[in-house]
Amino acid sequence: MKRLAVIILAAGQGTRMRSKLAKVLHPVGGRPMVLYAVELAQALTKGGKGNVAVVTGHQAEKLKEVIAGYDVASVVQTRRLGTGHAVVQAQSVFQNGDEWRKRRFVILSGDTPLLTEATLRDMLAYHDRERATVTVLTAHLDRPAGYGRIVRGREGFIWRIIEDRDATPSERRISEINAGSYIVEGDFLFPALSQVKPSNAQKEYYLPGIVSVAVGQGKRVAAYPAPDRVEALGINTRQELAEAERLMRARIRARLMAEGVTFLAPETSFVDAEVRIGRDSVIHPHTTIEGWTRIGEDCVIRSHSRIAESVLSDQVTILDACVIEGARLEEGTVIGPFARLRPGTVIRRAAKVGNFVEIKKTELGIGAKANHLSYLGDAQIGKRVNVGAGTITCNYDGVNKYQTVIADDVFIGSDVSFVAPVKVGKGAVIGAGSVVTEDVPADALVLGRSRQVIKPEWAKERREKMGKIKH
Ligand code: UD1
Ligand code: CA
């Protein structure tokens, strides 16, 4: 079998999106939609810069950044003269000793993120069985408007593909559409593209034009119907983006459920494509899990919580309405309700974070507790430390940020302020209401507050005095 090469078309602006952002960079399932095509290409070819070419153009630099982590080549289509013209730009990647003649090309659009690897593999097998020169992925749609239509001759053979704007009213009634993915023999592809003319409403070089060229040369053109028509969904408008988003989210949840995750109300939970969740974890209604977040086994995520770019070990409980970003939570930790964990937070085994606690760039030691109304920033907090209600680290002097270091087994009373930089030794006790400005030795008691004053009868006398002057 000929070696596969993949070309991904991603140079267009996506005018119909009416966006400042290039269409293929709009996220679907929490990642730029073009990455779905890039990952398919990698799966089919096992990667390699000589095997995959991404055609960039509009916002090429941004797109290159997005695909930088992948082993694929990119070429720039400086002038957007159509999908056929875009494919021609990619030829240079396969130029080496006319390499392109020996290859079989899979051509994908950057705007059809629901296409699956299984379908592409079946399509490749079909292309082989049919001994086709060109195979087009197709679908039958109830509302085919906007797509190129598959025009067949009397015997049912494919004759050509006509774009919606160039179609006659009767052609517009054809429900079989071009899904924009193709398999083409290399020795045919590039010579054929040089014969495609921009004689259409848009004055562009259309890739589907190669179908008529193949037919003219007596070559076999096959149509492979997508097993599920959603795979053909191409995103041109925000409506289609929303539809793809809905379908992708459902697909992600279905995969996670198959892997052993419980969703109490699946359609209200939004999980990004790259998230991984372990078995027997339970996801409550109205939850959002984003980015590359990893969640272990037997975790519980309660309602209205959002978790982004975080790692949760096994048996972690996130109670209601928490916002967790860039945090690492070890086994058995319990967070919330109403907690906010910001980047750089590390919560060690079995530690607890409670109501209205904000934590940033802070490590909370094994078994430690910060249960109520605190701000802990730039702090190192030891094992079993009790952080009293209302404790604050004063980490910022208006210019710089400073560290608070609290050793193991410290007991912090309520409403304590640590004016950083400051260190507290092991086992110390900090009296409630203290403002701690100096380092505290191990096992000491600190009282950093003014002494209580009691004036007997003062209140009563005041009441009587006020009563006399009342108008
Ligand atoms: C295209 C097909 C249409 C098919 C539909 C399926 C053509 C002419 N038409 O139409 O038959 O039904 O896809 O979704 O191919 N691009 C470039 N350079 C260009 C133009 C486009 O790289 O000069 C890229 C775009 O970024 C996009 C892809 O090619 O990722 C498809 O372009 P788009 O404009 O979306 O084509 P459609 O009008 O949807
Ligand atoms: Ca499109």
Side-chain angles (χ1 to χ4, degrees), residues 8-16 23-24 33-34 55-58 77 79-87 89 108-112 136-137 144 146-150 161-166 177-182 200 202 204-209 232-236 240:
I8 298 171
L9 306 184
Q13 177 182 353
T15 324
R16 289 162 281 183
K23 176 174 70 178
V24 298
M33 68 172 91
V34 68
V55 184
T56 69
H58 188 71
Q77 182 193 21
R79 289 192 304 154
R80 257 72 73 200
L81 300 180
T83 46
H85 179 260
V87 171
Q89 311 313 301
L108 304 175
S109 251
D111 67 351
T112 54
V136 181
L137 184 69
Y147 290 92
R149 308 296 208 290
I150 308 292
I161 295 175
I162 187 84
E163 290 306 304
D164 191 73
R165 25 160 81 80
D166 302 316
I177 61 103
N178 167 24
S181 303
Y182 315 79
N200 49 60
Q202 300 219 98
E204 282 184 1
Y205 297 88
Y206 285 165
L207 175 58
L233 178 63
I235 299 173
N236 295 323
E240 287 157 345

Side-chain angles (χ1 to χ4, degrees), residues 353-365:
V353 176
N355 319 258
F356 307 105
V357 173
E358 175 183 353
I359 303 187
K360 182 214 79 169
K361 269 198 197 159
T362 288
E363 178 179 336
L364 190 63

Side-chain angles (χ1 to χ4, degrees), residues 93 163 191 210 233 235 244 254 262 330-331 347 403 424 442 450 469:
V93 174
E163 290 306 304
I210 61 171
L233 178 63
I235 299 173
T262 294
E330 291 187 353
E331 215 170 296
I347 309 295
Q403 281 275 320
V424 179
S450 54
I469 56 171

Side-chain angles (χ1 to χ4, degrees), residues 432-453:
S434 292
V435 177
V436 181
T437 53
E438 285 163 42
D439 288 358
V440 178
D443 296 321
L445 165 70
V446 190
L447 297 170
R449 60 190 190 219
S450 54
R451 207 177 184 82
Q452 184 166 315
V453 178

Side-chain angles (χ1 to χ4, degrees), residues 107-383:
I107 304 173
L108 304 175
S109 251
D111 67 351
T112 54
L114 290 150
L115 178 61
T116 63
E117 184 186 341
T119 293
L120 274 180
R121 291 202 184 275
D122 290 347
M123 185 174 161
L124 279 161
Y126 184 76
H127 179 84
D128 252 341
R129 273 204 309 280
E130 293 287 308
R131 298 179 194 291
T133 297
V134 179
T135 299
V136 181
L137 184 69
T138 65
H140 285 275
L141 301 186
D142 301 333
R143 277 173 291 153
Y147 290 92
R149 308 296 208 290
I150 308 292
V151 182
R152 291 175 181 267
R154 238 179 265 128
E155 289 84 27
F157 292 115
I158 296 180
W159 202 241
R160 61 185 180 127
I161 295 175
I162 187 84
E163 290 306 304
D164 191 73
R165 25 160 81 80
D166 302 316
T168 62
S170 73
E171 285 168 332
R172 284 211 180 96
R173 282 195 290 276
I174 298 171
S175 65
E176 190 183 10
I177 61 103
N178 167 24
S181 303
Y182 315 79
I183 297 165
V184 190
E185 298 302 313
D187 53 1
F188 166 77
L189 175 63
F190 293 102
L193 281 168
S194 68
Q195 293 179 43
V196 170
K197 304 266 167 338
S199 46
N200 49 60
Q202 300 219 98
K203 309 232 176 325
E204 282 184 1
Y205 297 88
Y206 285 165
L207 175 58
I210 61 171
V211 167
S212 324
V213 177
V215 169
Q217 293 178 7
K219 295 202 150 60
R220 178 106 178 83
V221 178
Y224 183 75
D228 182 346
R229 62 175 98 169
V230 306
E231 291 197 43
L233 178 63
I235 299 173
N236 295 323
T237 64
R238 304 264 184 174
Q239 279 287 340
E240 287 157 345
L241 178 67
E243 180 65 0
E245 182 72 15
R246 187 180 69 78
L247 294 162
M248 186 64 79
R249 298 282 177 187
R251 192 183 272 182
I252 293 165
R253 290 185 298 252
R255 168 174 58 75
L256 289 167
M257 286 189 264
E259 289 169 7
V261 178
T262 294
F263 283 86
L264 294 185
E267 57 294 338
T268 69
S269 288
F270 298 86
V271 182
D272 283 358
E274 285 165 33
V275 170
R276 297 287 173 269
I277 304 178
R279 279 210 252 174
D280 293 316
S281 283
V282 178
I283 314 297
H284 282 248
H286 302 289
T287 38
T288 305
I289 305 173
E290 297 178 347
W292 47 259
T293 294
R294 298 281 175 275
I295 294 179
E297 298 189 358
D298 302 306
C299 291
V300 178
I301 314 297
R302 305 282 315 216
S303 296
H304 305 291
S305 286
R306 179 165 76 86
I307 304 171
E309 332 286 349
S310 294
V311 179
L312 281 60
S313 306
D314 298 339
Q315 283 132 35
V316 170
T317 301
I318 309 295
L319 297 171
D320 306 68
C322 293
V323 178
I324 296 172
E325 293 167 286
R328 193 144 60 83
L329 312 181
E330 291 187 353
E331 215 170 296
T333 50
V334 181
I335 312 294
F338 304 106
R340 177 167 184 219
L341 306 186
R342 292 166 51 199
T345 296
V346 179
I347 309 295
R348 297 288 181 205
R349 251 182 307 122
K352 285 176 77 178
V353 176
N355 319 258
F356 307 105
V357 173
E358 175 183 353
I359 303 187
K360 182 214 79 169
K361 269 198 197 159
T362 288
E363 178 179 336
L364 190 63
I366 296 173
K369 290 181 197 144
N371 276 338
H372 327 269
L373 300 159
S374 274
Y375 170 64
L376 304 172
D378 304 298
Q380 181 81 36
I381 298 170
K383 297 177 189 136

